[in-house]
Amino acid sequence: MRVGIIGAGSIGLLFAAYLSQVFDVTVYTRSQEQANEIDLHGISLLNGTERTVAEVKALPITDWQGLERLTIIAVKQYQLFSIIERLKQTQTMPEYVLFLQNGMGHLKLLNDLKGNNLFVGSVEHGAQRENLHTVRHNGVSTTNVAVYKGDSEFLKWFTGAVSTVFPMTFQEEYFTMLKKKLIVNAMINPLTAILQVKNGVLVDNPFYYKLLQNLFREITAILNLEHPEEYWGQAIQICQKTADNHSSMLKDVEAKRQTEVDAILGYLLEEANRKGKKSPQLETLYYLIKGKESQWEVIT
Amino acid sequence: MRVGIIGAGSIGLLFAAYLSQVFDVTVYTRSQEQANEIDLHGISLLNGTERTVAEVKALPITDWQGLERLTIIAVKQYQLFSIIERLKQTQTMPEYVLFLQNGMGHLKLLNDLKGNNLFVGSVEHGAQRENLHTVRHNGVSTTNVAVYKGDSEFLKWFTGAVSTVFPMTFQEEYFTMLKKKLIVNAMINPLTAILQVKNGVLVDNPFYYKLLQNLFREITAILNLEHPEEYWGQAIQICQKTADNHSSMLKDVEAKRQTEVDAILGYLLEEANRKGKKSPQLETLYYLIKGKESQWEVIT
């Protein structure tokens, strides 16, 4: 089966490297330069001290025609808008599309698409792009996937087909799946990015732990969570499991790149606003990050 | 007249250098080493490219006997407790005592003192200690002083007597005076320390400006401010006037020293709690700073 992957950041390269062991993968890059690099060197996948090289076709995104049966959209949420426009304009909408964005802000964009089978995923791997054709897989976990609209048979088959090389977990219910990830992201990402600390520090430092508790209370109220203790437990566990990691937002801040704060906190602030709930803490964190971003020449 | 100054940080050295031009000043230091340095070199006062040296007596704080007519307490708020104990135990309580701490947390400690004439001051100078006997005066402004308890005649005379060398402004009402400074400190210090930016950035960056607005609204409610626009105007003006300065809390964070967050935000949080008001933003900033402090080996 042919698989197209749009986006060659850390997640796009990670998926391309693993999926190419099973499928015929083409990765679509933003720049011609990156496509050339990948054509020349393949994708280097670093796993601890081990390096494997995957031969993967690469083309600039402008050459994308939607010819692959499955297209995986691995761009950041704030880059999604232009991709959605491209999908709308294509003659041949791919049969299956899997969206891997963080947050939940992208869901409303999906309703505009004419595709019959739209899937969403939540990536729990840790990955870092080291150069245009090299990705480090530094936290092996899984990718949760669920049907947003359409056929679950294909997604179940796909999950099974890749599972020997790259764990993927079929989830029945996309909303809860994305909400869990959103809450974890909202708690860990902005604080680690503002404080410039690793994930584990948030639970080790009693003052930061207090911040997590207060923040979680605000999120619980906004989302009307019914069993908050499950979400809380999950967030704390992820902080502990990934104690030595830099969160994706911290990495963005360190590299002075645009962050995903709109996809994560922006979504929650919109929800709060829509429901007439207060969100002073989330708002404080939101403006701290937005202000930081606006201090740089943002690289998107 | 003999004047004793307890504390030889930036403010203590600044006051000692200027007041020694008019009075017989003894500065009391925490360490014998610093007393020796000041005895040996005098206090160097840097003003732009100009350097003047003041001959000042220096003794370690353990030698303090309260023999000077006026004692100026120039330690940080969190060091005040041990000084207050010393004042309580002295046989000869000084006739006049002037307290220069930030915030308003120290007021409740003053009621325990048997002194008849207690004054409070709010220093608006910018000063930085460059070594044990050198201070840079990098923002010339004034010191507001007011009577907390006792005789205003002496304080008015003192204000006039020093005014040719070191501006000092007599204020009728200590509470409003300290409240104004507290509000400015609460708005500027924690944000600049968390973001590691100069004061001016808070008003130049539209997202940080929004943070200031939200924060001010919370402070207004806690303190029941009657004419909030005056306080707001003052805070913004100070941000602009001191645009290139690092706030004292930012300097503390940069030097990994204990900050005055308890004197500033701690006081407001207590007020909020006492009045049953919400303070989610102040609390967020408070824990961010407390958490930072607890990550270092704090130097007091």
Side-chain angles (χ1 to χ4, degrees), chain B residues 110-111 113-119 146-151 174:
Chain B
L110 305 193
N111 297 328
L113 289 176
K114 51 183 188 284
N116 292 321
N117 299 292
L118 303 180
F119 311 135
V147 172
Y148 178 72
K149 172 178 148 186
D151 178 14
Y174 80 88

Side-chain angles (χ1 to χ4, degrees), chain B residues 25-96:
Chain B
V25 171
T26 305
V27 63
Y28 293 91
T29 63
R30 197 157 41 163
S31 68
Q32 178 71 55
E33 182 199 359
Q34 190 179 10
N36 296 346
E37 290 265 312
I38 293 172
D39 268 340
L40 192 64
H41 303 288
I43 295 173
S44 282
L45 175 66
L46 307 180
N47 225 319
T49 56
E50 199 183 320
R51 173 191 296 262
T52 50
V53 177
E55 300 285 332
V56 174
K57 282 193 286 299
L59 290 170
I61 177 69
T62 44
D63 287 358
W64 181 78
Q65 292 182 282
L67 300 179
E68 296 86 5
R69 194 160 177 220
L70 167 66
T71 296
I72 297 175
I73 313 289
V75 300
K76 298 272 189 184
Q77 200 263 356
Y78 52 80
Q79 297 161 328
L80 191 59
F81 194 74
S82 68
I83 302 292
I84 293 274
E85 287 307 302
R86 200 177 283 275
L87 286 174
K88 279 193 208 164
Q89 284 156 23
T90 183
Q91 300 297 318
T92 51
M93 180 73 185
E95 200 174 342
Y96 303 102

